[in-house]
Amino acid sequence: MLEELPDLPQEGLVLVTGLGNRRVTPDAIGPKTADALLVTRHLVQTLPEPFASLRPVAALAPGVTGSTGMESGEIIGSVIKKLKPVCLIAVDALAARRQERVCRTIQIADTGIVPGSGVGNARMALDRESLGIPVIAVGVPTVVDAGTLCLDLLEDAGEKDFDPSSFRGEGAEWFVTPRNVDSQVDILSRILGLGISTALHVDFSVEDVEKWTS
C-alpha cells in the first residue's frame, strides 16, 4: 500500500525517521521501527558496483526535545539539507479515537505529521511546507485518553443516558495503554520495519529483508 502512494518517488534516497521516546514504551514504536529497517545508503555509497541495484535508504531516530534540547523537526531538517532525500517517511505512535483501535491499526497519510499533537504536546510540523520534500506519515495508536475509554465502555455496555461532556473534566487527559504494550510495540515495530523496507526495496520479499536485517 505504501509503495502505491503518489508522493513516494520510485527512485532516489528516502529518509525514514522514527519519532518518539525510546524510554517510554508506548512512545517507542518510531525508534524501534527505525532499528528494524533495511538501510542501504552506506552500501550504495561505499560499494556501488555490487549494490548498484539497491535503493538508498537512511534511518534516523532523533529522540525527544527533553533528551536532546532540540526539536525533532530541527534535527530532521538539518539531515534533509545534508542528504537531500527525495522523500521523508515519519513513523510515530498515535493516540486513538476509539479504544478498539489501540495497537490494532496502521494509519498512513501523505500530508505530514505534527509530533505530540495526539497527547496535547504539539511540536514542529513535519510536512512538505516546512521541509521542502514530500512527507509520508505512518502511525500506530498505542494509547487512548481516559475520557474516550470511559465513553467506549459505557456504549459497549448499552448505556445511553449520559452526557459525553462530563467525561472531559479533570482526569480526562490521562492516557491508558494495554498492559502488554511492550510486546505489542515490539511486534508492530517489526511489522512496520518489514513493510516499509519491502515498499522501498520492491524486488525484496519479506524473507529477503529478514535475512538482511537479522
Side-chain angles (χ1 to χ4, degrees):
M1 185 179 207
L2 187 65
E3 62 269 27
E4 298 174 359
L5 290 176
D7 276 351
L8 180 62
Q10 298 302 306
E11 297 180 350
L13 171 66
V14 173
L15 175 63
V16 183
T17 182
L19 303 170
N21 190 339
R22 194 183 293 272
R23 299 176 183 176
V24 179
T25 303
D27 198 33
I29 201 160
K32 289 195 172 189
T33 297
D35 293 343
L37 289 169
L38 173 56
V39 292
T40 53
R41 176 178 176 267
H42 60 304
L43 298 175
V44 175
Q45 282 195 329
T46 58
L47 299 168
E49 290 188 10
F51 297 111
S53 62
L54 289 180
R55 178 175 197 158
V57 175
L60 172 68
V64 292
T65 304
S67 299
T68 65
M70 296 175 284
E71 290 279 354
S72 296
E74 293 174 330
I75 298 173
I76 294 166
S78 297
V79 173
I80 287 174
K81 288 181 181 178
K82 176 66 175 179
L83 301 188
K84 295 180 173 55
V86 296
C87 179
L88 174 72
I89 298 176
V91 183
D92 200 6
L94 307 175
R97 297 283 181 159
R98 300 283 297 183
Q99 59 90 16
E100 66 264 20
R101 296 177 185 169
V102 175
C103 294
R104 295 178 184 173
T105 58
I106 297 173
Q107 298 175 214
I108 302 175
D110 59 4
T111 54
I113 190 171
V114 180
S117 58
V119 293
N121 186 32
R123 317 303 299 184
M124 176 181 169
L126 304 177
D127 53 27
R128 186 192 287 265
E129 182 178 357
S130 62
L131 298 175
I133 60 173
V135 178
I136 297 171
V138 180
V140 175
T142 57
V143 298
V144 64
D145 69 84
T148 296
L149 179 60
C150 290
L151 288 170
D152 285 350
L153 292 175
L154 285 171
E155 289 179 3
D156 291 344
E159 297 290 338
K160 298 181 179 180
D161 297 327
F162 57 86
D163 180 8
S165 63
S166 63
F167 293 89
R168 301 301 174 194
E170 186 177 355
E173 293 185 355
W174 290 18
F175 287 88
V176 183
T177 194
R179 62 183 176 184
N180 64 338
V181 69
D182 50 351
S183 61
Q184 291 292 319
V185 165
D186 285 343
I187 293 169
L188 287 164
S189 59
R190 184 63 177 163
I191 291 172
L192 290 177
L194 290 170
I196 293 171
S197 295
T198 52
L200 296 178
H201 304 285
V202 294
D203 294 330
F204 278 53
S205 66
V206 170
E207 291 75 19
D208 292 332
V209 173
E210 286 183 322
K211 288 178 183 178
W212 280 61
T213 57
S214 62

